[in-house]
Amino acid sequence: YQRRVHGEKIRRAVQGRMSGQVLSFGDICLFQDDVATLNDACWLGDKVIAFYFEYLTKCRVPSDGTSPLLLLGPATVQLAKLVGDAHTLRSILSALCLSQRMCVILPINNSRAPTHAGGSHWSVLAYHRDRNVFEHYDSMFGSNTEDARAVATVFGPLVSSGPVPSFVAVRNAPQQSNGFDCGIYALMVGEVLANAFLSKVPADLACVNAASTSAKRRISLRL
């Protein structure tokens, strides 16, 4: 009897969760509570960041796997950070062809928990093969440096078979003026970097500011 009751509770919980599904795009499903994090003054959830990077990939990157640009999702980056061993990850992430990419964009979260999502801050790490460097864009400069370095350390041997990539904390990265816009800044910086790489022009991050991040929330809600 207890098993039947427990099973019924799980079934109802799943049905309730599914009834709140807003969209399915690629490998990402967004629910009402995920989309709600796009509202003003909300801390952006990892599934929204995963969706937006997937959206950019589907819309702007060739689907045959030959693109020199790769935007990674938060779950992949977090997995790599927690595993922390490039040798183990080489086989797990082999399908990503990291050693062939010219630019890799990675969302960084400061969570250290291996069993559940969390953390309190987002930033962006970008690898550029032409300069063999990881550049870290943190909207609260210095807050995610330790986590970004950990990700750069584990991805270094995967993206470069030669010299160890250098690490640069970008001091003129756009800075947020509140405690909740880090995820939107990460989305916008990642998009600017991706567009600049594809267009073969320098990245102009002047467009990432308090006004544009608020507008970005509203635009993203309409996607």
Side-chain angles (χ1 to χ4, degrees), residues 93-215:
L93 304 180
S94 60
L96 298 177
C97 303
L98 290 165
S99 62
Q100 300 174 29
R101 310 290 185 169
M102 297 300 295
C103 179
V104 182
I105 298 175
L106 314 94
I108 304 297
N109 185 270
N110 63 353
S111 173
R112 311 285 173 82
T115 58
H116 60 274
S120 60
H121 188 52
W122 290 104
S123 57
V124 171
L125 186 68
Y127 173 72
H128 299 280
R129 183 173 302 282
D130 59 344
R131 291 176 283 130
N132 196 34
V133 60
F134 282 101
E135 292 182 336
H136 184 220
Y137 299 81
D138 191 340
S139 59
M140 295 181 69
F141 185 80
S143 297
N144 266 8
T145 300
E146 184 177 350
D147 293 272
R149 283 189 179 277
V151 172
T153 297
V154 73
F155 272 94
L158 303 179
V159 297
S160 174
S161 59
V164 176
S166 57
F167 179 93
V168 175
V170 180
R171 290 190 172 274
N172 63 343
Q175 297 295 288
Q176 65 190 85
S177 57
N178 53 50
F180 50 79
D181 267 344
C182 57
I184 291 292
Y185 272 77
L187 288 189
M188 295 188 68
V189 168
E191 183 173 13
V192 169
L193 294 175
N195 288 339
F197 173 79
L198 292 173
S199 302
K200 300 181 180 179
V201 298
D204 182 5
L205 293 169
C207 63
V208 183
N209 51 54
S212 63
T213 54
S214 180

